[in-house]
Amino acid sequence: MVAVVQLCALSTFALVANLHFSFYGTWDDLLGHDGPASAAPSDSGRDGGESVAEPLPDDDVTSQVSDKMGKLEKVRFRGARSGLSDMGYVLLPPEYFSKAHAHDRFPVGILLTGFPGEARNLVERMKLPKVVSDLRKQGKVQPMIWVMARPSTDPPHDTECVDVPGGPQAGTYYAQDLPEALSNRYRTAPTAKGWAIMGNSSGGSCAMRTAMMHPNSYTAAVSLAGDFRAIKDKQTGDLYGGSPEFRDENDLFWRLKNRPMPPIDMLVTRILDGGDGNPAEPKEFAGLAKPPMRIDLLERKSGGHNFVTWNAELYQAVPWVSERMQVEDADDSSGSTEGKL
């Protein structure tokens, strides 16, 4: 009976923690099973075809967005290069459907949740559609396409957006397949100057790594409490094939010290009271940047590793992204392929 009571207590604690942090949204997600909306490695894209975004039926998440906010679509992304697929949500601005903007292209902001979260957390917990709607009413952001996804396409494996040797090519998926899939379905900005990638926790790590290693895909990145190091733990396993050199290449501090600066802007958060990690590390990281790279700090006096803090930070991060987004014709680069998707 003592063991049963202890088990019930632990289960209650785990349930409360999960309800607060939204680590898992379903039993399938907890157990690593592939449900209707879960990620699944696939060979369907490795035949030289194009990455695609396939519409999925509306669900209880899409119904939470009103027409005034835009239209929220549930989509499955299938990667041609990586062979990976996952589902997410795409928020289209009201202007996307107006006659006056019928031929306009729109900047794209991709927001990745933390591991092992689900894309729905970005609607229900981070409340990105509401944040965007509030800021648009205040005239602080331009019309954009917002994409909500998760940072792992191989659950329950945390791939950290790394092209794992002999494993999931997650880096390729987020840097090339996902932008291509979106561009094949929506009227997106034709060059990297109209693309940004963001994330919270491990999603922030992915955003920074992807933009730094693939500046031809993204011109801006935002990290809300992401790691700067190339981590190795129970969730990741060895992502680097036992190679110290490859691990270095995926360490963001190492890259700033040993590789040319990528031409991107980055925003990283810093909690001054240490409520979410060492506050000295983001400042040190930002201090290493040199032109053409720029790193800004989003500082708060207090906060934690939770959705309450990340939601508040979005009200500053989203305008920061919007200010940097440009929709230019792909031919404006005078024949250069730099920045083309």
Side-chain angles (χ1 to χ4, degrees), residues 323-339:
E323 289 175 4
R324 285 153 179 80
M325 294 293 95
Q326 302 176 32
V327 178
E328 61 177 21
D329 190 89
D331 296 330
D332 290 345
S333 55
S334 303
S336 170
T337 58
E338 179 71 22

Side-chain angles (χ1 to χ4, degrees), residues 28-98:
D28 280 336
D29 196 36
L30 171 63
L31 299 174
H33 296 161
D34 287 335
S38 64
S42 168
D43 290 326
S44 61
R46 292 181 175 151
D47 57 1
E50 291 188 328
S51 302
V52 296
E54 302 170 345
L56 296 174
D58 290 344
D59 60 11
D60 60 316
V61 177
T62 56
S63 65
Q64 297 178 34
V65 173
S66 67
D67 292 339
K68 293 182 179 180
M69 294 182 182
K71 181 181 180 182
L72 186 65
E73 296 187 346
K74 186 177 181 181
V75 180
R76 177 170 290 280
F77 309 106
R78 297 190 182 277
R81 298 167 185 82
S82 66
L84 298 171
S85 72
D86 198 7
M87 64 76 56
Y89 295 94
V90 177
L91 178 65
L92 301 169
E95 289 84 352
Y96 192 89
F97 304 97
S98 71

Side-chain angles (χ1 to χ4, degrees), residues 196-242:
I197 186 166
M198 311 166 60
N200 64 279
S201 191
S202 57
S205 306
C206 283
M208 291 188 291
R209 179 173 292 107
T210 302
M212 287 181 66
M213 299 180 73
H214 302 276
N216 283 354
S217 295
Y218 300 99
T219 195
V222 177
S223 171
L224 310 179
D227 288 316
F228 304 103
R229 306 292 184 180
I231 66 173
K232 180 180 179 181
D233 56 29
K234 292 182 179 179
Q235 284 73 41
T236 66
D238 181 12
L239 301 174
Y240 318 105

Side-chain angles (χ1 to χ4, degrees), residues 140-142 144 316-326:
K140 293 184 177 180
V141 297
Q142 63 176 303
M144 290 181 58
Q316 294 172 274
V318 168
W320 183 92
V321 166
S322 178
E323 289 175 4
R324 285 153 179 80
M325 294 293 95
Q326 302 176 32

Side-chain angles (χ1 to χ4, degrees), residues 280-326:
E281 192 170 51
K283 187 175 182 179
E284 178 187 358
F285 183 74
L288 293 173
K290 298 176 183 178
M293 186 179 186
R294 176 179 175 178
I295 301 179
D296 295 329
L297 290 173
L298 195 168
E299 297 182 334
R300 292 174 58 85
K301 291 182 179 180
S302 61
H305 204 78
N306 55 56
F307 285 103
V308 174
T309 298
W310 298 326
N311 172 259
E313 290 169 341
L314 275 185
Y315 279 94
Q316 294 172 274
V318 168
W320 183 92
V321 166
S322 178
E323 289 175 4
R324 285 153 179 80
M325 294 293 95
Q326 302 176 32

Side-chain angles (χ1 to χ4, degrees), residues 225-258:
D227 288 316
F228 304 103
R229 306 292 184 180
I231 66 173
K232 180 180 179 181
D233 56 29
K234 292 182 179 179
Q235 284 73 41
T236 66
D238 181 12
L239 301 174
Y240 318 105
S243 168
E245 293 79 14
F246 187 59
R247 185 170 183 173
D248 283 344
E249 291 289 344
N250 284 276
D251 185 291
L252 304 187
F253 265 105
W254 187 92
R255 293 193 70 85
L256 286 185
K257 295 176 181 179
N258 296 276

